[in-house]
Amino acid sequence: MNYFDVEISKIKKEVDVIDNVAEVVGKCSRRIDNVLPTLNSVGLSSIVPALNTVKYELDIEKYECNSLKSALLNIILQYVKQEIMLAGNQMSLGDIIKEFGQYIGDIIEDFLDGLSDVDPYEVDSILFDGNGEYGGDQGAPRKLSEDEKKELYELIQDNIPHHDFTQEELEAFLERANSEGCGYVALTNSIFMYYENNPDGFEEAFGYPMYNEDGDLNYNMLFIDLYSSVDGIHPDTGQWYPFMNYDAEEDGGILGYNQWMDETGNGTGSESREYYINQFMEEHGVESHYDSQVNVTPQNFQEISESGQTVIIRFHHGNIYDSSGEAHAIHGGHAMVVTGVTGDGRYIVSSWGDEYYIDPNENAMFLDDDGNTIDTSFSFDTVTYE
């Protein structure tokens, strides 16, 4: 997405020309200053008035150059201000530096700082350090090679011993995990954040390494372990329920429903995530605490994060933006770990293994099938471990 119709970064060359002219003019004026005291002693006092006139003109020229530069930079600033406001305030200083270079970023840094009272902050974690994936991706397991999937299939069978899976059912299981796994991935990310400085403790708790053979975090293994351990259990009863993912509109009559071949799920909410993570972590000897409807703002996010809480946003019917500024529409609900805030008050989140941004002031106002407006909404949960 291009935010600007005018290629503002190219104006730097013009400003540099003005700077160079001002510098040359200034040097000439200073040389005249240095020469003037010597002229009387060598009998050239008659040219002093003429040189003073030249020096005056040079000083005026330098002043005009600086005025022109100031006016040009002000035009740039006003243009950038309007474009940012028209774009829904989607650009952070980092976006602008990436798009136009540090020079343009310096010009508007003060303006962006004035957009909100938020200090930019990002969670200091190996999950979100820019090397490799940016958190887990619920769609990654189904994209693995058949050899790579074997370990996951064995884990699924071990976690659901009361059913003997066929190959087709295992493939359907990974498809279903992709369709409804965002909440589980958010929890997976939170577990890795807890263990990131304790890989030995991770392996002792879960029985497999924290890092895979490629040296990457074992996202797929932990995600599928969590998902297959608890997804079929009804949070109200604690018992296996075969119709957890049943949807009459998608799956037809309930008598012909086959839970093992269902490739779509109903996702998780705050209550079910609380139950699932508590169950899963208790089985592995760790106590977890899950809180819903937590008051999280761009202003207090850093304090909450540094207290050891992982923040999960429950986002409904809105846009999230990738690093290039392109909007990705979320129809329905989506759960993501919040990894930071920008200086202009947006949330940074991990979704599908990439970095995205959410503007809390934007209302996408989607339309449902009946033409009714659906407003964007969101709330926050937190999870901690000990």
Side-chain angles (χ1 to χ4, degrees), residues 96-311:
I96 293 167
I97 291 174
K98 180 178 180 181
E99 185 78 9
F100 304 107
Q102 182 67 49
Y103 176 77
I104 299 299
D106 289 342
I107 292 174
I108 64 170
E109 183 171 9
D110 291 340
F111 168 65
L112 284 175
D113 287 345
L115 290 176
S116 72
D117 57 353
V118 179
D119 292 326
Y121 172 79
E122 290 191 56
V123 172
D124 183 14
S125 171
I126 55 176
L127 279 75
F128 317 117
D129 63 2
N131 297 320
E133 290 187 320
Y134 195 84
D137 176 5
Q138 64 264 33
R142 67 189 179 117
K143 299 175 184 177
L144 298 174
S145 68
E146 289 306 311
D147 285 341
E148 292 172 317
K149 290 177 182 177
K150 286 181 180 179
E151 193 174 19
L152 298 182
Y153 289 159
E154 291 174 359
L155 185 60
I156 295 169
Q157 186 65 77
D158 288 342
N159 286 338
I160 310 176
H162 59 273
H163 178 74
D164 188 14
F165 282 86
T166 67
Q167 179 66 27
E168 291 76 14
E169 289 171 347
L170 289 168
E171 292 171 0
F173 190 94
L174 295 186
E175 292 294 335
R176 186 167 66 253
N178 172 63
S179 77
E180 65 167 348
C182 59
Y184 292 101
V185 166
L187 294 174
T188 296
N189 289 339
S190 73
I191 296 171
F192 276 123
M193 291 169 70
Y194 172 67
Y195 277 104
E196 68 175 301
N197 295 316
N198 187 15
D200 291 338
F202 179 94
E203 186 166 1
E204 181 180 349
F206 300 102
Y208 43 85
M210 185 169 170
Y211 295 89
N212 61 28
E213 293 179 354
D214 296 327
D216 298 322
L217 286 168
N218 222 336
Y219 287 115
N220 296 332
M221 196 71 174
L222 182 59
F223 164 51
I224 293 301
D225 190 7
L226 170 61
Y227 181 70
S228 60
S229 293
V230 298
D231 184 68
I233 300 174
H234 200 294
D236 293 338
T237 64
Q239 302 296 317
W240 186 268
Y241 183 61
F243 302 104
M244 282 291 294
N245 296 303
Y246 174 71
D247 184 310
E249 189 172 318
E250 292 182 352
D251 300 320
I254 194 169
L255 294 178
Y257 176 68
N258 181 353
Q259 61 173 309
W260 307 114
M261 290 301 294
D262 190 350
E263 296 187 355
T264 59
N266 295 324
T268 60
S270 293
E271 292 184 0
S272 58
R273 280 196 295 274
E274 178 179 5
Y275 175 81
Y276 290 151
I277 194 61
N278 288 344
Q279 281 287 111
F280 182 71
M281 297 307 287
E282 183 180 350
E283 291 175 2
H284 295 281
V286 178
E287 185 175 350
S288 60
H289 302 277
Y290 196 96
D291 294 313
S292 303
Q293 302 296 326
V294 178
N295 179 31
V296 177
T297 67
Q299 289 76 15
N300 70 12
F301 173 79
Q302 179 174 352
E303 180 182 357
I304 292 173
S305 178
E306 290 182 345
S307 72
Q309 302 175 71
T310 299
V311 176

Side-chain angles (χ1 to χ4, degrees), residues 14-15 18-19 21-23 58-76:
E14 306 305 321
V15 176
I18 297 172
D19 276 338
V21 171
E23 183 179 356
L58 288 171
D59 289 342
I60 292 294
E61 185 69 22
K62 182 178 178 180
Y63 172 81
E64 294 292 346
C65 283
N66 288 332
S67 296
L68 178 60
K69 175 183 175 181
S70 177
L72 184 56
L73 294 182
N74 188 57
I75 290 171
I76 294 173

Side-chain angles (χ1 to χ4, degrees), residues 270 273 292-296 311-316 334-336 338 376-382:
S270 293
R273 280 196 295 274
S292 303
Q293 302 296 326
V294 178
N295 179 31
V296 177
V311 176
I312 297 174
I313 187 170
R314 304 167 60 224
F315 189 73
H316 296 82
H334 191 41
M336 298 160 281
V338 181
T376 300
S377 64
F378 56 89
S379 61
F380 298 94
D381 302 340
T382 62

Side-chain angles (χ1 to χ4, degrees), residues 337-349:
V337 164
V338 181
T339 66
V341 290
T342 65
D344 53 350
R346 294 176 300 158
Y347 295 107
I348 310 170
V349 297

